[in-house]
Amino acid sequence: MPDAPADLRRLLEPEAGPLLAPVRSEIFGAQRFAQHGRSLGLTHVAQPAGWAGAGFFPRLRGNIRMLRQAQRTIAALTADGYEPSPASLWLLDNFHLIEAQLLAIHEGLPRSFFRALPVLRDEPLAGLPRIYGVAWAFVAHTDSAFDEELLVHYLCAYQESRELVLSEMWALPTTLRVVLVENLRRLAERLATHKAARELANRCSDRIEAGATPPLEPLLALARARGAGDAFLIQLVHRLQDRASGASERVPEAVRTWLQDAMPQPAAALARQNAEQTADNLSVSNAVNSLRAIGDADWPQIVAHTSPLMRLMLGAPLFAAEHHATRDDTLHGIERLARRSGRSEMQVARTLLGLMDDAAVPNGDGAVAGHWLQGPGRATLTRALGLREAWRTAARAARRHLVLPLYLGTVVLGSWALVAALLQPGQPLPGLALALLVWPASEAVIALLHRLISESTQPRHLPRLALAQGIPSEHRVLVVIPGMLSDAAAIAALVHRLELHWLANPEPQAQFGLLTDWSDAQALRAESDEALLAHASRGIADLNARCGPAPAEALAAPRFVLLHRRRSYSASERRWIGWERKRGKLEQLTAELAEGPPGVDGPPRAFVDLGALSTLALDTRYIVTLDSDTQLPPGRLRELVGVAAHPANQPRLSADGRRVVAGWGILQPRITAPLPLPREDTLFHRMFAGQTGVDPYSAASSEVYQDLFQEGSFTGKGLLHVQAMHAVLGGNLPEGQVLSHDLLEGSLARCAAVTDIALVEDAPFHAEVAASRVHRWTRGDWQLLPILVQSLLQPWRYPLGAINRWKMADNLRRSLLAPASLALLLLALAGGAVAPLPALALVLAAFAAGPLLGALAGFVASRESVARRHFYPLAGLELARALGGGLWQLAMLLQHALVALDAIARALWRTLISQRLLLQWTTAAAAQAAARGDLLSALRRHWSVP
């Protein structure tokens, strides 16, 4: 029948073979399932998968193709007026869900993971993963219905006779989806093929009505080859019986005889067909509902209840308390060792737990699985397993000692190679030009190197505790906002921000406080001081009243506190200020928490006694310090404390107690910019704020210093370990000289960058604000120059590591980038040895190489299913943003150079000669408030730049 639709002809092609029976068998209850699981485990003989075993995914793609073809056929027939069956309606209404399983399956079980799964040796599923056979039996004996309790019962019984490895357990949800899609394919193909056979019978009946007899025997053979012969005959009988009952015309005798011979008992065949359709309707509805239920199931709990390895490891208290990501790292380490040693995962786990139990210090290094799997104890563990890994120990030692020389060597060699590429052949280059070329060349090379490292290095997750029941009392935390009591509006903003932190993180064992000073003054007291302090006290008291007092058993102190300091005289500023500004506030706070409040005969308390409003909770272990514009999203406080509370992250001091040499004294989260308010959505903000808003699906990002050297950079917002900070910083820094203290504190207390935990903080929306911030930072960096020199000449005074010294020196190098680039361009324009265009290109690369490389990498889609019409315009917008930022830096080069030179000159003069204004500081809020965006103000301030 050449006029039949193409999908109908394809469904009835004999080459497709007979229809496969649905994945459906006898329905089992819990007791029968347990018996079946034990017997099935005995028959499942598995072997390691080879690279040739690739029949899993091609069949999946074939299933999707057949499902799409069946959906088109059913939809077309329904559109032509045919009454759809319940199974057809289930397929039509839920086809979007079925198609989404393709992406879920490929993401949940990539080829590399699939090839690591043990495969069955014997038929009927030989060559397919063993877990596929487990899933097949479950789907068959539940008629595609998903019952979590029954699944747990079945898996536990199966593993009484055959242990499943952990990778198989985690592959189970995806494998269940594969089997359900396979069953839906079989059901949909049978449904569509039977509809095609009935449509073929209708077309035959139409021809018979027209007086022509079609070749019924070949058409029946065609339908029988696909397993749809009964559907064809039943529909033909139904149509011709209706026609034969008419008075005008009769069915030809030859056709009636042929039908009698082909189907002698049409009533029995019709009953069988109705029973099959009823069963298929139920199977399709069960499968569709199960695809939803699998995604909603609590698979970590299912694995925990059914995996012998998980049950064994959960017997270790620390493992049971850890976050699931930390558990996964431990379990993956056990899996890798099991494969390398040829032992079972249970044997490796028992050996590991034995070493952990024998550890001398409870909850110390020896009690942490990572100590034995990735740390110093690995050699002991591998020897216990019969492995020899001398090469790994040597490689770890070489990496630890060579990574910094390799990094710095790459920077130096890359910079000189880039400079050499710009030199004109045969023409000597003056020393000044050569020195100026090094600055932008080194910046471009470092940007390229960091981009390559961040794209190729897997971000490291620090181990952490889950803290499922909240922050415990032994890990009590104080969240503080350092601020100034300058006016009533500023105080109200600080109190409101503190309330938002508590609303987002209502932890019973957390206290929230303002850490405040009065504004600088010419005398110890100012007229407005007491009124401002009273206003702040009322705000905190109101918070305690509105938000409810802390439970007595939790803190024995108010939930919200006000910690305010009196002024002290600064010889450097020749004014009365808060001692050492923000650094002093945090140092005095850590001292009080570490040592307790001073007694009657001791020195006066650093903070004004406000009664209950200034009472700190006892045994507070951590401080989380946030700026006034920093947002603490929901759950982040518990996550930070969970990282700090893990024994592997506990700070350990050097022998002299001057430096943290292991663990972490500071945790620095990633900082992201919020979505800007309409008045802040400026072109400058769009170019330099980066990706704004909070992405709940984002994972850890790479932080080069953390990933390469296991030391991040502290930027002033994060978690501080009270005892460690007090030990290494209490009274150890020079008074009245340290302005930018964050990097120095992070170097001594050892800072970890926790890039999978994000805080939100405003980015400058105005160029003036950004320039003011850079000026402050540059002054602070250059005021650390004496400390950097002393750490080289007298390392016992400031025991900084080599990577910390490099970071401090790198800050000085970057501050000279704009002046050096400007001087290079002027020298090139004046007829120097470097041509102007190459010099201009080098300077542009210095400012834009990193963002441009990131934007170009963004054009590579990470998955096939992206909406390309949406993806590529956004990637192009990111490229334009990166290029625009580089051009802006180039256009403002003179201004940036003047700002940098002014900051450097002021810092050197004040540090080395005058010893004045070393603590001069303008808060970010004040700089933001003073920013003016009108053209007249800009011309007045920058008349010399054009």
Side-chain angles (χ1 to χ4, degrees):
M1 291 189 176
D3 59 332
D7 280 337
L8 186 147
R9 292 200 303 270
R10 278 195 294 268
L11 283 169
L12 293 175
E13 284 179 352
E15 292 79 7
L19 293 172
L20 296 173
V23 183
R24 190 166 58 211
S25 188
E26 179 187 353
I27 304 299
F28 287 164
Q31 185 175 357
R32 182 68 181 88
F33 237 131
Q35 180 184 352
H36 182 67
R38 285 188 286 269
S39 61
L40 190 65
L42 292 173
T43 63
H44 274 182
V45 181
Q47 60 190 10
W51 284 92
F56 198 46
F57 277 90
R59 176 65 178 178
L60 175 62
R61 293 194 180 94
N63 288 346
I64 296 297
R65 283 195 298 269
M66 176 54 69
L67 280 164
R68 288 171 180 160
Q69 180 181 345
Q71 188 262 353
R72 287 194 304 269
T73 301
I74 295 170
L77 292 174
T78 303
D80 287 341
Y82 287 89
E83 184 69 24
S85 65
S88 301
L89 289 175
W90 273 99
L91 286 172
L92 292 177
D93 293 343
N94 296 279
F95 196 75
H96 64 284
L97 172 68
I98 299 169
E99 281 204 308
Q101 299 309 306
L102 178 63
L103 178 61
I105 289 168
H106 276 276
E107 287 184 344
L109 198 63
R111 282 184 182 274
S112 58
F113 187 81
F114 157 69
R115 289 195 175 106
L117 298 175
V119 298
L120 291 171
R121 194 177 63 189
D122 302 325
E123 295 294 345
L125 300 176
L128 289 173
R130 176 171 57 188
I131 196 64
Y132 188 76
V134 174
W136 184 284
F138 181 76
V139 170
H141 293 291
T142 58
D143 194 13
S144 298
F146 183 78
D147 186 320
E148 187 172 321
E149 184 177 348
L150 193 61
L151 177 65
V152 170
H153 199 69
Y154 164 58
L155 291 175
C156 290
Y158 180 95
Q159 293 187 97
E160 291 177 13
S161 56
R162 183 78 63 182
E163 180 185 322
L164 295 170
V165 298
L166 194 63
S167 58
E168 291 179 292
M169 298 298 299
W170 284 115
L172 180 59
T174 302
T175 310
L176 282 171
R177 288 189 177 100
V178 172
V179 178
L180 288 170
V181 169
E182 168 73 27
N183 198 25
L184 279 172
R185 173 248 170 88
R186 296 182 178 202
L187 291 164
E189 185 178 11
R190 181 154 80 166
L191 186 66
T193 304
H194 283 185
K195 282 186 176 293
R198 286 192 284 272
E199 173 63 11
L200 182 64
N202 289 334
R203 290 173 180 267
C204 289
S205 298
D206 292 341
R207 291 198 176 189
I208 292 173
E209 281 187 12
T213 302
L216 295 177
E217 190 62 40
L219 291 177
L220 176 60
L222 194 73
R224 281 178 170 166
R226 289 287 286 140
D230 283 357
F232 174 78
L233 290 172
I234 290 172
Q235 184 68 13
L236 195 60
V237 169
H238 175 69
R239 283 288 306 273
L240 294 181
Q241 280 180 347
D242 288 347
R243 185 171 180 272
S245 63
S248 58
E249 296 184 10
R250 300 294 179 189
V251 178
E253 184 65 30
V255 174
R256 281 186 289 156
T257 303
W258 180 86
L259 270 178
Q260 180 65 32
D261 294 338
M263 178 163 282
Q265 296 180 334
L270 181 60
R272 286 195 306 272
Q273 178 178 272
N274 291 336
E276 286 180 356
Q277 287 179 348
T278 301
D280 289 352
N281 292 340
L282 181 59
S283 296
V284 170
S285 64
N286 284 344
V288 170
N289 288 328
S290 293
L291 288 175
R292 290 194 179 94
I294 288 172
D296 297 335
D298 188 355
W299 286 102
Q301 283 300 315
I302 294 175
V303 173
H305 287 133
T306 57
S307 168
L309 176 62
M310 281 292 290
R311 292 203 298 269
L312 177 64
M313 292 301 299
L314 286 171
L318 179 58
F319 183 88
E322 286 177 332
H323 189 270
H324 69 84
T326 306
R327 290 184 189 177
D328 289 346
D329 290 340
T330 299
L331 296 171
H332 291 327
I334 292 173
E335 285 181 287
R336 289 190 292 268
L337 276 178
R339 285 195 296 267
R340 292 195 63 248
S341 65
R343 298 171 182 261
S344 71
E345 293 175 352
M346 293 291 286
Q347 290 175 312
V348 174
R350 291 190 184 99
T351 304
L352 172 64
L353 290 174
L355 293 172
M356 293 168 63
D357 290 340
D358 293 339
V361 181
N363 291 326
D365 279 351
V368 178
H371 171 80
W372 307 99
L373 292 170
Q374 296 97 20
R378 183 178 175 90
T380 304
L381 176 60
T382 53
R383 280 196 301 271
L385 294 173
L387 290 174
R388 293 293 180 266
E389 288 190 340
W391 61 271
R392 184 184 291 270
T393 304
R396 188 185 297 112
R399 182 184 184 278
R400 186 169 59 251
H401 292 98
L402 295 179
V403 63
L404 181 58
L406 286 174
Y407 172 84
L408 296 178
T410 302
V411 172
V412 171
L413 293 177
S415 301
W416 281 112
L418 187 55
V419 169
L422 294 175
L423 298 181
Q424 298 181 11
Q427 184 174 356
L429 190 67
L432 176 61
L434 189 63
L436 294 176
L437 278 169
V438 169
W439 252 263
S442 64
E443 183 68 13
V445 168
I446 289 175
L448 175 61
L449 180 61
H450 283 202
R451 174 58 60 178
L452 293 176
I453 292 173
S454 64
E455 293 290 342
S456 59
T457 304
Q458 188 75 15
R460 298 192 175 196
H461 292 266
L462 293 182
R464 62 202 65 193
L465 301 182
L467 302 184
Q469 305 304 318
I471 298 174
S473 59
E474 61 269 24
H475 295 290
R476 187 169 290 149
V477 62
L478 169 64
V479 179
V480 295
I481 304 176
M484 304 287 288
L485 301 185
S486 55
D487 55 64
I491 293 171
L494 289 172
V495 171
H496 178 64
R497 178 64 66 189
L498 200 66
E499 182 180 9
L500 292 179
H501 291 335
W502 176 78
L503 290 173
N505 298 269
E507 295 287 343
Q509 296 294 340
Q511 200 174 20
F512 299 81
L514 295 182
L515 193 56
T516 59
D517 290 327
W518 282 305
S519 300
D520 299 356
Q522 296 295 337
L524 176 61
R525 292 182 176 84
E527 183 179 349
S528 60
D529 287 352
E530 296 305 323
L532 291 173
L533 181 58
H535 186 68
S537 299
R538 286 194 299 271
I540 296 298
D542 181 58
L543 267 187
N544 280 311
R546 284 191 293 107
C547 299
E553 67 276 9
L555 292 175
R559 171 72 62 213
F560 301 96
V561 293
L562 176 61
L563 305 172
H564 182 76
R565 298 190 304 170
R566 300 176 181 87
R567 297 186 184 93
S568 63
Y569 185 73
S570 170
S572 166
E573 304 301 297
R574 296 186 182 178
R575 292 166 67 87
W576 292 82
I577 68 172
W579 181 74
E580 291 294 307
R581 300 202 183 280
K582 178 184 175 182
R583 183 183 76 80
K585 281 189 278 196
L586 290 172
E587 182 174 322
Q588 290 173 327
L589 177 59
T590 54
E592 182 163 322
L593 290 173
E595 301 173 354
V600 177
D601 299 329
R605 189 185 183 195
F607 303 101
V608 176
D609 188 1
L610 300 174
L613 285 184
S614 59
T615 301
L616 293 171
L618 298 176
D619 302 322
T620 297
R621 194 167 186 176
Y622 310 111
I623 296 171
V624 172
T625 176
L626 305 168
D627 286 349
S628 59
D629 59 346
T630 307
Q631 302 175 32
L632 186 64
R636 298 298 189 270
L637 182 60
R638 184 183 299 187
E639 292 176 15
L640 272 174
V641 175
V643 176
H646 195 281
N649 300 326
Q650 294 301 303
R652 289 173 283 281
L653 302 179
S654 58
D656 59 1
R658 296 291 308 280
R659 185 167 181 256
V660 176
V661 294
W664 320 100
I666 299 175
L667 299 180
Q668 174 62 62
R670 179 164 51 98
I671 305 296
T672 62
L675 295 172
L677 297 173
R679 63 181 177 83
E680 298 174 349
D681 191 15
T682 62
L683 182 60
F684 180 85
H685 187 276
R686 292 181 188 179
M687 285 195 297
F688 294 105
Q691 183 179 2
T692 58
V694 176
D695 179 7
Y697 305 103
S698 64
S701 60
S702 177
E703 208 280 346
V704 170
Y705 290 120
Q706 180 69 37
D707 296 336
L708 282 186
F709 309 106
Q710 287 76 59
E711 287 203 37
S713 300
F714 184 42
T715 61
K717 280 78 65 175
L719 181 143
L720 314 178
H721 190 285
V722 169
Q723 295 293 341
M725 293 291 289
H726 180 59
V728 302
L729 296 174
N732 292 332
L733 297 184
E735 187 172 340
Q737 297 181 30
V738 178
L739 184 62
S740 291
H741 52 91
D742 300 334
L743 182 59
L744 182 59
E745 290 171 342
S747 300
L748 294 172
R750 201 160 186 259
C751 173
V754 191
T755 58
D756 54 344
I757 300 176
L759 304 180
V760 180
E761 184 175 90
D762 290 327
F765 63 87
H766 194 280
E768 294 291 336
V769 178
S772 173
R773 183 168 66 170
V774 170
H775 190 276
R776 297 193 304 271
W777 289 349
T778 303
R779 284 195 295 112
D781 291 336
W782 279 90
Q783 285 182 204
L784 293 178
L785 181 60
I787 293 179
L788 177 60
V789 174
Q790 289 178 25
S791 72
L792 294 169
L793 302 178
Q794 301 174 333
W796 61 88
R797 186 170 182 183
Y798 298 109
L800 300 177
I803 185 60
N804 305 125
R805 296 190 187 102
W806 159 250
K807 286 194 284 188
M808 294 172 69
D810 188 47
N811 280 352
L812 305 184
R813 179 198 63 81
R814 281 189 287 109
S815 67
L816 289 168
L817 175 61
S821 299
L822 177 63
L824 174 64
L825 291 181
L826 294 176
L827 183 64
L829 291 171
V834 181
L837 284 180
L840 189 65
L842 178 62
V843 171
L844 181 60
F847 288 113
L852 278 175
L853 287 171
L856 290 173
F859 275 90
V860 181
S862 59
R863 59 182 66 187
E864 298 178 357
S865 60
V866 297
R868 300 186 183 277
R869 290 186 180 181
H870 182 66
F871 176 80
Y872 286 113
L874 288 180
L877 187 63
E878 185 67 17
L879 179 63
R881 188 188 69 81
L883 184 60
L887 293 175
W888 165 268
Q889 298 278 16
L890 192 63
M892 296 298 293
L893 187 57
L894 175 58
Q895 172 66 11
H896 292 165
L898 293 176
V899 169
L901 289 174
D902 179 81
I904 294 169
R906 287 174 187 264
L908 292 178
W909 172 262
R910 295 171 180 179
T911 303
L912 303 178
I913 299 175
S914 73
Q915 295 295 308
R916 288 282 318 281
L917 300 177
L918 290 170
L919 297 180
Q920 186 184 46
W921 190 260
T922 303
T923 64
Q928 197 96 316
R932 297 287 299 277
D934 57 287
L935 178 60
L936 186 60
S937 298
L939 291 177
R940 188 182 301 116
R941 284 191 300 271
H942 306 296
W943 61 269
S944 61
V945 174

